[in-house]
PDB file of all heavy atoms in Angstrom:
ATOM      1  N   ASP A  22      23.676   6.695   6.341  1.00  0.00           N
ATOM      2  CA  ASP A  22      23.462   5.382   6.951  1.00  0.00           C
ATOM      3  C   ASP A  22      23.334   4.321   5.854  1.00  0.00           C
ATOM      4  O   ASP A  22      22.360   4.296   5.101  1.00  0.00           O
ATOM      5  CB  ASP A  22      22.198   5.434   7.809  1.00  0.00           C
ATOM      6  CG  ASP A  22      21.923   4.153   8.560  1.00  0.00           C
ATOM      7  OD1 ASP A  22      22.207   3.066   8.027  1.00  0.00           O
ATOM      8  OD2 ASP A  22      21.405   4.240   9.683  1.00  0.00           O
ATOM      9  N   LEU A  23      24.314   3.428   5.770  1.00  0.00           N
ATOM     10  CA  LEU A  23      24.336   2.420   4.712  1.00  0.00           C
ATOM     11  C   LEU A  23      23.173   1.441   4.812  1.00  0.00           C
ATOM     12  O   LEU A  23      22.617   1.027   3.787  1.00  0.00           O
ATOM     13  CB  LEU A  23      25.664   1.673   4.716  1.00  0.00           C
ATOM     14  CG  LEU A  23      26.894   2.520   4.379  1.00  0.00           C
ATOM     15  CD1 LEU A  23      28.161   1.677   4.461  1.00  0.00           C
ATOM     16  CD2 LEU A  23      26.751   3.157   3.018  1.00  0.00           C
ATOM     17  N   GLU A  24      22.783   1.074   6.023  1.00  0.00           N
ATOM     18  CA  GLU A  24      21.651   0.166   6.195  1.00  0.00           C
ATOM     19  C   GLU A  24      20.364   0.816   5.689  1.00  0.00           C
ATOM     20  O   GLU A  24      19.558   0.186   4.999  1.00  0.00           O
ATOM     21  CB  GLU A  24      21.500  -0.244   7.658  1.00  0.00           C
ATOM     22  CG  GLU A  24      20.344  -1.201   7.893  1.00  0.00           C
ATOM     23  CD  GLU A  24      20.142  -1.574   9.355  1.00  0.00           C
ATOM     24  OE1 GLU A  24      20.880  -1.073  10.228  1.00  0.00           O
ATOM     25  OE2 GLU A  24      19.224  -2.360   9.617  1.00  0.00           O
ATOM     26  N   LEU A  25      20.191   2.086   6.009  1.00  0.00           N
ATOM     27  CA  LEU A  25      19.005   2.810   5.551  1.00  0.00           C
ATOM     28  C   LEU A  25      19.037   2.995   4.037  1.00  0.00           C
ATOM     29  O   LEU A  25      18.007   2.851   3.375  1.00  0.00           O
ATOM     30  CB  LEU A  25      18.888   4.158   6.265  1.00  0.00           C
ATOM     31  CG  LEU A  25      17.660   4.999   5.929  1.00  0.00           C
ATOM     32  CD1 LEU A  25      16.366   4.229   6.139  1.00  0.00           C
ATOM     33  CD2 LEU A  25      17.674   6.294   6.737  1.00  0.00           C
ATOM     34  N   GLN A  26      20.202   3.290   3.474  1.00  0.00           N
ATOM     35  CA  GLN A  26      20.328   3.403   2.018  1.00  0.00           C
ATOM     36  C   GLN A  26      19.869   2.116   1.335  1.00  0.00           C
ATOM     37  O   GLN A  26      19.118   2.148   0.363  1.00  0.00           O
ATOM     38  CB  GLN A  26      21.774   3.665   1.615  1.00  0.00           C
ATOM     39  CG  GLN A  26      22.244   5.067   1.789  1.00  0.00           C
ATOM     40  CD  GLN A  26      23.710   5.209   1.395  1.00  0.00           C
ATOM     41  OE1 GLN A  26      24.338   4.291   0.884  1.00  0.00           O
ATOM     42  NE2 GLN A  26      24.255   6.379   1.662  1.00  0.00           N
ATOM     43  N   SER A  27      20.321   0.994   1.856  1.00  0.00           N
ATOM     44  CA  SER A  27      19.970  -0.301   1.288  1.00  0.00           C
ATOM     45  C   SER A  27      18.469  -0.567   1.395  1.00  0.00           C
ATOM     46  O   SER A  27      17.837  -1.012   0.435  1.00  0.00           O
ATOM     47  CB  SER A  27      20.755  -1.406   1.994  1.00  0.00           C
ATOM     48  OG  SER A  27      20.391  -2.663   1.505  1.00  0.00           O
ATOM     49  N   ALA A  28      17.911  -0.289   2.556  1.00  0.00           N
ATOM     50  CA  ALA A  28      16.476  -0.502   2.766  1.00  0.00           C
ATOM     51  C   ALA A  28      15.652   0.406   1.852  1.00  0.00           C
ATOM     52  O   ALA A  28      14.644  -0.023   1.278  1.00  0.00           O
ATOM     53  CB  ALA A  28      16.115  -0.267   4.228  1.00  0.00           C
ATOM     54  N   LEU A  29      16.075   1.642   1.695  1.00  0.00           N
ATOM     55  CA  LEU A  29      15.361   2.569   0.817  1.00  0.00           C
ATOM     56  C   LEU A  29      15.475   2.150  -0.651  1.00  0.00           C
ATOM     57  O   LEU A  29      14.517   2.286  -1.419  1.00  0.00           O
ATOM     58  CB  LEU A  29      15.876   4.001   1.004  1.00  0.00           C
ATOM     59  CG  LEU A  29      15.440   4.679   2.299  1.00  0.00           C
ATOM     60  CD1 LEU A  29      16.241   5.953   2.534  1.00  0.00           C
ATOM     61  CD2 LEU A  29      13.950   4.969   2.288  1.00  0.00           C
ATOM     62  N   ALA A  30      16.624   1.623  -1.040  1.00  0.00           N
ATOM     63  CA  ALA A  30      16.786   1.126  -2.412  1.00  0.00           C
ATOM     64  C   ALA A  30      15.821  -0.026  -2.655  1.00  0.00           C
ATOM     65  O   ALA A  30      15.176  -0.095  -3.719  1.00  0.00           O
ATOM     66  CB  ALA A  30      18.227   0.688  -2.651  1.00  0.00           C
ATOM     67  N   TRP A  31      15.724  -0.937  -1.693  1.00  0.00           N
ATOM     68  CA  TRP A  31      14.790  -2.065  -1.819  1.00  0.00           C
ATOM     69  C   TRP A  31      13.361  -1.551  -1.948  1.00  0.00           C
ATOM     70  O   TRP A  31      12.596  -1.998  -2.805  1.00  0.00           O
ATOM     71  CB  TRP A  31      14.952  -3.004  -0.624  1.00  0.00           C
ATOM     72  CG  TRP A  31      14.078  -4.224  -0.649  1.00  0.00           C
ATOM     73  CD1 TRP A  31      13.454  -4.780  -1.735  1.00  0.00           C
ATOM     74  CD2 TRP A  31      13.721  -5.036   0.456  1.00  0.00           C
ATOM     75  NE1 TRP A  31      12.739  -5.896  -1.351  1.00  0.00           N
ATOM     76  CE2 TRP A  31      12.890  -6.067  -0.014  1.00  0.00           C
ATOM     77  CE3 TRP A  31      14.032  -4.999   1.813  1.00  0.00           C
ATOM     78  CZ2 TRP A  31      12.363  -7.046   0.821  1.00  0.00           C
ATOM     79  CZ3 TRP A  31      13.519  -5.969   2.640  1.00  0.00           C
ATOM     80  CH2 TRP A  31      12.687  -6.984   2.144  1.00  0.00           C
ATOM     81  N   LEU A  32      13.002  -0.583  -1.105  1.00  0.00           N
ATOM     82  CA  LEU A  32      11.643  -0.041  -1.145  1.00  0.00           C
ATOM     83  C   LEU A  32      11.364   0.650  -2.486  1.00  0.00           C
ATOM     84  O   LEU A  32      10.293   0.466  -3.071  1.00  0.00           O
ATOM     85  CB  LEU A  32      11.424   0.922   0.022  1.00  0.00           C
ATOM     86  CG  LEU A  32      10.038   1.527   0.150  1.00  0.00           C
ATOM     87  CD1 LEU A  32       8.948   0.463   0.212  1.00  0.00           C
ATOM     88  CD2 LEU A  32       9.974   2.427   1.391  1.00  0.00           C
ATOM     89  N   CYS A  33      12.313   1.414  -2.983  1.00  0.00           N
ATOM     90  CA  CYS A  33      12.128   2.075  -4.278  1.00  0.00           C
ATOM     91  C   CYS A  33      11.917   1.043  -5.379  1.00  0.00           C
ATOM     92  O   CYS A  33      11.015   1.187  -6.214  1.00  0.00           O
ATOM     93  CB  CYS A  33      13.345   2.940  -4.614  1.00  0.00           C
ATOM     94  SG  CYS A  33      13.481   4.433  -3.616  1.00  0.00           S
ATOM     95  N   ALA A  35      10.870  -2.064  -5.057  1.00  0.00           N
ATOM     96  CA  ALA A  35       9.607  -2.771  -4.837  1.00  0.00           C
ATOM     97  C   ALA A  35       8.420  -1.922  -5.278  1.00  0.00           C
ATOM     98  O   ALA A  35       7.484  -2.423  -5.909  1.00  0.00           O
ATOM     99  CB  ALA A  35       9.479  -3.158  -3.361  1.00  0.00           C
ATOM    100  N   ARG A  49       3.265  -7.570  -1.087  1.00  0.00           N
ATOM    101  CA  ARG A  49       3.981  -8.122   0.080  1.00  0.00           C
ATOM    102  C   ARG A  49       5.415  -7.621   0.114  1.00  0.00           C
ATOM    103  O   ARG A  49       5.943  -7.299   1.178  1.00  0.00           O
ATOM    104  CB  ARG A  49       3.961  -9.647   0.057  1.00  0.00           C
ATOM    105  CG  ARG A  49       2.661 -10.244   0.531  1.00  0.00           C
ATOM    106  CD  ARG A  49       2.754 -11.753   0.736  1.00  0.00           C
ATOM    107  NE  ARG A  49       3.086 -12.472  -0.482  1.00  0.00           N
ATOM    108  CZ  ARG A  49       2.215 -12.855  -1.413  1.00  0.00           C
ATOM    109  NH1 ARG A  49       0.938 -12.584  -1.264  1.00  0.00           N
ATOM    110  NH2 ARG A  49       2.618 -13.513  -2.486  1.00  0.00           N
ATOM    111  N   GLU A  50       6.060  -7.548  -1.051  1.00  0.00           N
ATOM    112  CA  GLU A  50       7.442  -7.071  -1.091  1.00  0.00           C
ATOM    113  C   GLU A  50       7.529  -5.621  -0.617  1.00  0.00           C
ATOM    114  O   GLU A  50       8.447  -5.256   0.113  1.00  0.00           O
ATOM    115  CB  GLU A  50       8.026  -7.205  -2.492  1.00  0.00           C
ATOM    116  CG  GLU A  50       9.484  -6.809  -2.526  1.00  0.00           C
ATOM    117  CD  GLU A  50      10.116  -6.826  -3.893  1.00  0.00           C
ATOM    118  OE1 GLU A  50       9.387  -6.862  -4.904  1.00  0.00           O
ATOM    119  OE2 GLU A  50      11.351  -6.791  -3.936  1.00  0.00           O
ATOM    120  N   VAL A  51       6.572  -4.794  -1.019  1.00  0.00           N
ATOM    121  CA  VAL A  51       6.558  -3.400  -0.566  1.00  0.00           C
ATOM    122  C   VAL A  51       6.425  -3.344   0.950  1.00  0.00           C
ATOM    123  O   VAL A  51       7.132  -2.579   1.623  1.00  0.00           O
ATOM    124  CB  VAL A  51       5.427  -2.594  -1.258  1.00  0.00           C
ATOM    125  CG1 VAL A  51       5.222  -1.242  -0.578  1.00  0.00           C
ATOM    126  CG2 VAL A  51       5.736  -2.412  -2.731  1.00  0.00           C
ATOM    127  N   LEU A  52       5.537  -4.157   1.502  1.00  0.00           N
ATOM    128  CA  LEU A  52       5.369  -4.179   2.964  1.00  0.00           C
ATOM    129  C   LEU A  52       6.654  -4.625   3.666  1.00  0.00           C
ATOM    130  O   LEU A  52       7.040  -4.058   4.688  1.00  0.00           O
ATOM    131  CB  LEU A  52       4.205  -5.088   3.346  1.00  0.00           C
ATOM    132  CG  LEU A  52       2.818  -4.582   2.950  1.00  0.00           C
ATOM    133  CD1 LEU A  52       1.768  -5.644   3.251  1.00  0.00           C
ATOM    134  CD2 LEU A  52       2.499  -3.278   3.652  1.00  0.00           C
ATOM    135  N   MET A  53       7.307  -5.640   3.117  1.00  0.00           N
ATOM    136  CA  MET A  53       8.555  -6.123   3.721  1.00  0.00           C
ATOM    137  C   MET A  53       9.653  -5.053   3.623  1.00  0.00           C
ATOM    138  O   MET A  53      10.398  -4.828   4.580  1.00  0.00           O
ATOM    139  CB  MET A  53       8.999  -7.416   3.040  1.00  0.00           C
ATOM    140  CG  MET A  53       8.088  -8.584   3.359  1.00  0.00           C
ATOM    141  SD  MET A  53       8.358 -10.082   2.370  1.00  0.00           S
ATOM    142  CE  MET A  53      10.088 -10.189   2.182  1.00  0.00           C
ATOM    143  N   ALA A  54       9.732  -4.391   2.481  1.00  0.00           N
ATOM    144  CA  ALA A  54      10.741  -3.350   2.297  1.00  0.00           C
ATOM    145  C   ALA A  54      10.464  -2.158   3.224  1.00  0.00           C
ATOM    146  O   ALA A  54      11.389  -1.584   3.800  1.00  0.00           O
ATOM    147  CB  ALA A  54      10.774  -2.906   0.842  1.00  0.00           C
ATOM    148  N   ALA A  55       9.194  -1.792   3.366  1.00  0.00           N
ATOM    149  CA  ALA A  55       8.841  -0.692   4.274  1.00  0.00           C
ATOM    150  C   ALA A  55       9.209  -1.052   5.712  1.00  0.00           C
ATOM    151  O   ALA A  55       9.686  -0.191   6.467  1.00  0.00           O
ATOM    152  CB  ALA A  55       7.352  -0.380   4.167  1.00  0.00           C
ATOM    153  N   ASP A  56       9.025  -2.308   6.084  1.00  0.00           N
ATOM    154  CA  ASP A  56       9.413  -2.742   7.413  1.00  0.00           C
ATOM    155  C   ASP A  56      10.926  -2.653   7.595  1.00  0.00           C
ATOM    156  O   ASP A  56      11.400  -2.262   8.665  1.00  0.00           O
ATOM    157  CB  ASP A  56       8.925  -4.180   7.665  1.00  0.00           C
ATOM    158  CG  ASP A  56       9.168  -4.623   9.087  1.00  0.00           C
ATOM    159  OD1 ASP A  56       8.680  -3.946  10.016  1.00  0.00           O
ATOM    160  OD2 ASP A  56       9.881  -5.640   9.283  1.00  0.00           O
ATOM    161  N   ALA A  57      11.689  -2.977   6.565  1.00  0.00           N
ATOM    162  CA  ALA A  57      13.146  -2.861   6.634  1.00  0.00           C
ATOM    163  C   ALA A  57      13.568  -1.418   6.842  1.00  0.00           C
ATOM    164  O   ALA A  57      14.489  -1.123   7.605  1.00  0.00           O
ATOM    165  CB  ALA A  57      13.789  -3.442   5.377  1.00  0.00           C
ATOM    166  N   VAL A  58      12.876  -0.495   6.176  1.00  0.00           N
ATOM    167  CA  VAL A  58      13.163   0.946   6.354  1.00  0.00           C
ATOM    168  C   VAL A  58      12.841   1.343   7.784  1.00  0.00           C
ATOM    169  O   VAL A  58      13.628   2.033   8.458  1.00  0.00           O
ATOM    170  CB  VAL A  58      12.372   1.807   5.344  1.00  0.00           C
ATOM    171  CG1 VAL A  58      12.478   3.295   5.705  1.00  0.00           C
ATOM    172  CG2 VAL A  58      12.860   1.560   3.928  1.00  0.00           C
ATOM    173  N   LYS A  59      11.713   0.886   8.281  1.00  0.00           N
ATOM    174  CA  LYS A  59      11.304   1.201   9.655  1.00  0.00           C
ATOM    175  C   LYS A  59      12.353   0.689  10.668  1.00  0.00           C
ATOM    176  O   LYS A  59      12.735   1.414  11.589  1.00  0.00           O
ATOM    177  CB  LYS A  59       9.944   0.583   9.952  1.00  0.00           C
ATOM    178  CG  LYS A  59       9.384   0.926  11.303  1.00  0.00           C
ATOM    179  CD  LYS A  59       8.006   0.317  11.473  1.00  0.00           C
ATOM    180  CE  LYS A  59       7.478   0.578  12.854  1.00  0.00           C
ATOM    181  NZ  LYS A  59       6.160  -0.038  13.056  1.00  0.00           N
ATOM    182  N   ARG A  60      12.823  -0.524  10.470  1.00  0.00           N
ATOM    183  CA  ARG A  60      13.859  -1.087  11.364  1.00  0.00           C
ATOM    184  C   ARG A  60      15.159  -0.295  11.269  1.00  0.00           C
ATOM    185  O   ARG A  60      15.833  -0.070  12.267  1.00  0.00           O
ATOM    186  CB  ARG A  60      14.096  -2.554  11.054  1.00  0.00           C
ATOM    187  CG  ARG A  60      12.985  -3.478  11.527  1.00  0.00           C
ATOM    188  CD  ARG A  60      13.384  -4.949  11.469  1.00  0.00           C
ATOM    189  NE  ARG A  60      14.041  -5.340  10.227  1.00  0.00           N
ATOM    190  CZ  ARG A  60      13.431  -5.788   9.135  1.00  0.00           C
ATOM    191  NH1 ARG A  60      12.122  -5.900   9.112  1.00  0.00           N
ATOM    192  NH2 ARG A  60      14.127  -6.117   8.060  1.00  0.00           N
ATOM    193  N   ALA A  61      15.511   0.114  10.064  1.00  0.00           N
ATOM    194  CA  ALA A  61      16.769   0.850   9.858  1.00  0.00           C
ATOM    195  C   ALA A  61      16.730   2.236  10.507  1.00  0.00           C
ATOM    196  O   ALA A  61      17.778   2.758  10.894  1.00  0.00           O
ATOM    197  CB  ALA A  61      17.076   0.976   8.362  1.00  0.00           C
ATOM    198  N   THR A  62      15.531   2.795  10.617  1.00  0.00           N
ATOM    199  CA  THR A  62      15.426   4.132  11.223  1.00  0.00           C
ATOM    200  C   THR A  62      15.277   4.057  12.736  1.00  0.00           C
ATOM    201  O   THR A  62      15.259   5.081  13.414  1.00  0.00           O
ATOM    202  CB  THR A  62      14.250   4.922  10.632  1.00  0.00           C
ATOM    203  OG1 THR A  62      13.033   4.204  10.833  1.00  0.00           O
ATOM    204  CG2 THR A  62      14.466   5.198   9.168  1.00  0.00           C
ATOM    205  N   GLY A  63      15.166   2.825  13.232  1.00  0.00           N
ATOM    206  CA  GLY A  63      15.172   2.588  14.669  1.00  0.00           C
ATOM    207  C   GLY A  63      13.942   2.958  15.374  1.00  0.00           C
ATOM    208  O   GLY A  63      13.772   3.176  16.499  1.00  0.00           O
TER     209      GLY A  63
END
Side-chain angles (χ1 to χ4, degrees):
D22 184 325
L23 295 178
E24 181 182 2
L25 183 54
Q26 282 178 7
S27 177
L29 286 167
W31 182 20
L32 182 55
C33 288
R49 281 190 299 276
E50 184 184 16
V51 168
L52 291 174
M53 290 170 38
D56 186 57
V58 170
K59 184 177 176 182
R60 286 192 314 270
T62 58

